[in-house]
Every structure is written in C-alpha cells, then in structure tokens.
Amino acid sequence: MNKEEKHDLVLALTEQIKEYGNFYITDTADLTVAKVNSIRRQCFENEITMQVAKNSLIKKAMEAAGGDFAGIYDVLKGSSSILFSKSATAPAKLIKKLRKTGDKPVLKAAYIDSAIFIGDNQLDTLTKLKSKEQLIGEIVGLLQSPAKNVVSALQSGGSIIAGVVKTLQERG
C-alpha cells in the first residue's frame, strides 16, 4: 500500500468514525480467507461495515476524527478489524454469534456514543446496551406515569364528589 492509498484509507476511516459514532475493534488474526469472507457477509446482512486496517492507520483516523479515543490506543496491537454500525449492539451480538463456532473474532475495544469499552469481557455488557431511543422512551414513560395517576385520581375523585353532591341534593 503506497502513501496515497494509506492517506485515502485514513480519510475513509475518519469519515466512518464521525458518521457512525459506534465502532468495535476486533482481533481476526489467523482466520482463513473463507472465515473472514463469511464474517464480512454476515456483517453486511446485519448492516455492519467491516474494515481491516493497520493499527497505525486506525489510530491516525481516530486522531483525525477528534474524539477522545486515548483509552483505545493501547489495544491497537496485532491484527485489527474495525466494525462500524449505527446500532450500538449489533456488532456485539454478531461477535457473540460468531463465537459459537470459533474463538474469533475477539473484542479488543468498542466505542459507543463516547463511552469506551475495553476487552473481550465487555461483550455481554455491550449486547445488553439500550439505544438512545429506547432510553428516551423509557424516560417518557416514567414521566407520564405520575401524570396519569393524578388524572386518574382526579377523575375517580370527581365521580365520588358528584355522587356526594347528588345524595345531598336528594336529601336537601
């Protein structure tokens, strides 16, 4: 790969880091070409973009993207693949699925909405993350619940008051 190709790859990775906001760095060393192609196909089916790149180029792309990726730099050793996805959990779920048939890919690190997860032991945590939309929905539901209770109490209380007034009028 010549200098211009490396520069183009860094630019492409930088744009993907900015565009997706979520990425996973995995170790896919020692996998056969057939296995890597199978992983790529499954990534495509799950709307995940997979890119194999040198660690130095991944680091340059992270630096160019301008985020705080310093915690990830230490895991950029050996062979690395980077997985991009709009979904924070899709790559983790795919990695977990792939691990049922082999010991790779191994999760080195993940960057999800400015949070950094280091190590393969974070895989279960990453599969259970909720999306921003899910969290907002839960918060809205929690905020609506007390209001519904107040409205319900007022409605039921109103019918009780109306019943008391009616009874008093009948006696009156």
Side-chain angles (χ1 to χ4, degrees), residues 137-170:
E138 286 182 12
I139 290 170
V140 168
L142 290 171
L143 292 173
Q144 285 179 341
S145 181
K148 286 180 182 177
N149 291 341
V150 169
V151 170
S152 177
L154 289 173
Q155 287 175 340
S156 66
S159 62
I160 292 172
I161 292 171
V164 170
V165 170
K166 185 179 179 184
T167 304
L168 291 174
Q169 286 174 345
E170 290 172 355

Side-chain angles (χ1 to χ4, degrees), residues 28-136:
T28 54
D30 304 324
L31 291 177
T32 65
V33 173
K35 183 68 175 174
V36 171
N37 287 339
S38 172
I39 292 170
R40 285 183 189 276
R41 185 173 46 259
Q42 291 180 62
C43 284
F44 178 77
E45 291 167 359
N46 288 282
E47 298 178 4
I48 300 167
T49 302
M50 179 181 176
Q51 179 72 48
V52 177
K54 289 187 172 192
N55 293 315
S56 59
L57 300 180
I58 294 172
K59 183 177 179 181
K60 285 180 182 180
M62 285 190 273
E63 290 169 346
D68 183 16
F69 305 106
I72 297 176
Y73 298 156
D74 289 341
V75 303
L76 293 175
K77 295 177 178 103
S79 178
S80 295
S81 298
I82 187 164
L83 307 176
F84 296 100
S85 176
K86 293 286 184 187
S87 165
T89 59
K93 290 176 182 177
L94 178 60
I95 292 168
K96 201 163 182 174
K97 177 184 168 190
L98 292 168
R99 295 282 287 283
K100 291 178 182 177
T101 59
D103 60 348
K104 297 256 176 131
V106 173
L107 178 66
K108 291 182 176 185
Y111 183 84
I112 312 296
D113 292 325
S114 76
I116 295 174
F117 300 83
I118 302 292
D120 198 56
N121 60 336
Q122 298 292 317
L123 200 54
D124 285 333
T125 302
L126 289 165
T127 61
K128 296 173 186 167
L129 286 179
K130 293 184 179 183
S131 71
K132 204 178 289 185
E133 291 79 16
Q134 289 172 316
L135 291 173
I136 290 170

